[in-house]
Amino acid sequence: AQSVTQPDIHITVSEGASLELRCNYSYGATPYLFWYVQSPGQGLQLLLKYFSGDTLVQGIKGFEAEFKRSQSSFNLRKPSVHWSDAAEYFCAVGPTSGGYNKLIFGAGTRLAVHP
Amino acid sequence: DVKVTQSSRYLVKRTGEKVFLECVQDMDHENMFWYRQDPGLGLRLIYFSYDVKMKEKGDIPEGYSVSREKKERFSLILESASTNQTSMYLCASGNSAVAYEQYFGPGTRLTVT
């Protein structure tokens, strides 16, 4: 069965520091991979997605992620974090059994940013 | 911009009440989804719909039902609310031609007392 693991529940970084959020997936074929961000009191917003091709994908708000098939990972990175990046981040994978564009989400990583 | 709206941001209901959560999207999307979000568990799919009057169970459908009478509207129904249904409920919609991309509403935080 497909699954997504985000090993870090909470991460704290200083403003201006670099960031890497980890995501590992379990899937038998090449997955579709997503990162979403949820700011406090908001719904989820798509940051970036990987379907095929270049394994380094660029997203909004200065984020990027790299697909590494050998490690079953899709880690999210940002070179310099801003205070406004404090939020919860979710990794997701598709397709899932039964189709219909369903996704499986990880448990999330909550990012705190210190000034 | 895609807009997904949910009828309430906060809702407090009593045990045993029938609860309706409404979701409306304005992008003519075929697919609509209801999730619940709990700390440490991420998002779990309750039900989804791929067309008007069509519905499929997700991973945790017990205690819930749904209705999709119009393409733009997808309702989640708690037939008899229980305290273990206290949660954040998120609605999403997606265009079936754009694989797996989902747009989310702001969520409804439901408290059942």
Short mmCIF file of all heavy atoms in Angstrom, two decimals, chain A residues 9 36-40 85-90 107-111, chain B residues 37 40:
data_model
loop_
_atom_site.label_atom_id
_atom_site.label_comp_id
_atom_site.label_asym_id
_atom_site.label_seq_id
_atom_site.Cartn_x
_atom_site.Cartn_y
_atom_site.Cartn_z
N ILE A 9 8.18 16.02 13.06
CA ILE A 9 6.89 16.60 13.41
C ILE A 9 7.01 18.12 13.55
O ILE A 9 6.15 18.86 13.10
CB ILE A 9 6.37 15.98 14.72
CG1 ILE A 9 6.18 14.48 14.54
CG2 ILE A 9 5.07 16.64 15.14
CD1 ILE A 9 5.83 13.76 15.82
N TYR A 36 2.38 20.65 -0.05
CA TYR A 36 1.39 21.67 0.25
C TYR A 36 1.82 22.39 1.52
O TYR A 36 2.47 21.82 2.40
CB TYR A 36 0.02 21.06 0.50
CG TYR A 36 -0.72 20.60 -0.73
CD1 TYR A 36 -0.50 19.35 -1.30
CD2 TYR A 36 -1.69 21.42 -1.32
CE1 TYR A 36 -1.20 18.94 -2.42
CE2 TYR A 36 -2.41 21.00 -2.43
CZ TYR A 36 -2.16 19.76 -2.97
OH TYR A 36 -2.85 19.36 -4.08
N VAL A 37 1.37 23.66 1.65
CA VAL A 37 1.62 24.43 2.85
C VAL A 37 0.29 24.89 3.42
O VAL A 37 -0.63 25.25 2.67
CB VAL A 37 2.55 25.63 2.58
CG1 VAL A 37 1.95 26.59 1.56
CG2 VAL A 37 2.89 26.36 3.87
N GLN A 38 0.19 24.87 4.75
CA GLN A 38 -1.01 25.34 5.42
C GLN A 38 -0.61 26.41 6.44
O GLN A 38 -0.02 26.09 7.47
CB GLN A 38 -1.73 24.19 6.12
CG GLN A 38 -3.05 24.60 6.75
CD GLN A 38 -3.73 23.43 7.45
OE1 GLN A 38 -3.08 22.54 7.98
NE2 GLN A 38 -5.05 23.42 7.43
N SER A 39 -0.93 27.65 6.12
CA SER A 39 -0.67 28.72 7.07
C SER A 39 -1.74 28.69 8.15
O SER A 39 -2.84 28.15 7.93
CB SER A 39 -0.67 30.07 6.35
OG SER A 39 0.35 30.11 5.39
N PRO A 40 -1.46 29.26 9.31
CA PRO A 40 -2.43 29.20 10.42
C PRO A 40 -3.81 29.70 10.01
O PRO A 40 -3.96 30.78 9.43
CB PRO A 40 -1.79 30.12 11.46
CG PRO A 40 -0.33 30.04 11.20
CD PRO A 40 -0.21 29.91 9.71
N ASP A 85 7.24 32.06 6.48
CA ASP A 85 7.22 30.65 6.10
C ASP A 85 6.75 29.75 7.24
O ASP A 85 6.55 28.54 7.05
CB ASP A 85 8.60 30.19 5.64
CG ASP A 85 9.03 30.85 4.34
OD1 ASP A 85 8.16 31.07 3.47
OD2 ASP A 85 10.24 31.16 4.21
N ALA A 86 6.59 30.31 8.43
CA ALA A 86 6.09 29.52 9.56
C ALA A 86 4.70 28.99 9.22
O ALA A 86 3.77 29.76 8.95
CB ALA A 86 6.03 30.38 10.82
N ALA A 87 4.57 27.68 9.21
CA ALA A 87 3.33 27.04 8.74
C ALA A 87 3.49 25.53 8.95
O ALA A 87 4.51 25.06 9.45
CB ALA A 87 3.09 27.35 7.27
N GLU A 88 2.48 24.79 8.50
CA GLU A 88 2.60 23.34 8.48
C GLU A 88 2.71 22.89 7.03
O GLU A 88 2.00 23.40 6.16
CB GLU A 88 1.39 22.68 9.15
CG GLU A 88 1.59 21.18 9.36
CD GLU A 88 0.74 20.63 10.49
OE1 GLU A 88 -0.26 21.26 10.86
OE2 GLU A 88 1.10 19.54 11.01
N TYR A 89 3.60 21.95 6.80
CA TYR A 89 3.90 21.50 5.45
C TYR A 89 3.54 20.02 5.31
O TYR A 89 3.89 19.20 6.16
CB TYR A 89 5.39 21.71 5.15
CG TYR A 89 5.75 23.18 5.06
CD1 TYR A 89 5.96 23.93 6.22
CD2 TYR A 89 5.83 23.82 3.84
CE1 TYR A 89 6.26 25.28 6.15
CE2 TYR A 89 6.14 25.17 3.76
CZ TYR A 89 6.35 25.88 4.92
OH TYR A 89 6.63 27.23 4.83
N PHE A 90 2.85 19.72 4.22
CA PHE A 90 2.40 18.36 3.98
C PHE A 90 2.96 17.86 2.65
O PHE A 90 2.85 18.53 1.62
CB PHE A 90 0.87 18.29 3.92
CG PHE A 90 0.20 18.58 5.24
CD1 PHE A 90 -0.20 19.86 5.55
CD2 PHE A 90 -0.03 17.55 6.15
CE1 PHE A 90 -0.82 20.14 6.76
CE2 PHE A 90 -0.65 17.82 7.36
CZ PHE A 90 -1.04 19.11 7.67
N ALA A 107 1.84 13.08 7.65
CA ALA A 107 1.28 13.63 8.89
C ALA A 107 1.59 15.11 9.06
O ALA A 107 1.01 15.76 9.92
CB ALA A 107 1.80 12.84 10.08
N GLY A 108 2.52 15.63 8.26
CA GLY A 108 2.81 17.05 8.34
C GLY A 108 4.04 17.37 9.17
O GLY A 108 4.40 16.62 10.09
N THR A 109 4.69 18.47 8.83
CA THR A 109 5.80 19.01 9.62
C THR A 109 5.48 20.46 9.93
O THR A 109 5.23 21.25 9.01
CB THR A 109 7.13 18.96 8.84
OG1 THR A 109 7.47 17.60 8.57
CG2 THR A 109 8.25 19.61 9.65
N ARG A 110 5.49 20.78 11.20
CA ARG A 110 5.20 22.16 11.61
C ARG A 110 6.51 22.92 11.73
O ARG A 110 7.41 22.51 12.46
CB ARG A 110 4.46 22.19 12.94
CG ARG A 110 3.99 23.59 13.34
CD ARG A 110 3.05 23.55 14.51
NE ARG A 110 1.80 22.86 14.21
CZ ARG A 110 0.77 23.42 13.59
NH1 ARG A 110 0.84 24.69 13.22
NH2 ARG A 110 -0.34 22.74 13.38
N LEU A 111 6.60 24.01 10.98
CA LEU A 111 7.81 24.82 10.95
C LEU A 111 7.63 26.09 11.77
O LEU A 111 6.67 26.83 11.57
CB LEU A 111 8.15 25.21 9.50
CG LEU A 111 9.31 26.19 9.33
CD1 LEU A 111 10.63 25.54 9.76
CD2 LEU A 111 9.39 26.68 7.89
N GLN B 37 -8.69 16.53 9.32
CA GLN B 37 -7.31 16.77 9.68
C GLN B 37 -7.18 16.75 11.20
O GLN B 37 -7.83 17.52 11.90
CB GLN B 37 -6.84 18.14 9.16
CG GLN B 37 -5.41 18.46 9.49
CD GLN B 37 -5.00 19.84 9.02
OE1 GLN B 37 -5.81 20.63 8.56
NE2 GLN B 37 -3.70 20.13 9.10
N GLY B 40 -0.93 15.11 14.06
CA GLY B 40 -0.14 13.89 14.00
C GLY B 40 -0.64 12.86 13.01
O GLY B 40 0.03 11.85 12.77
#
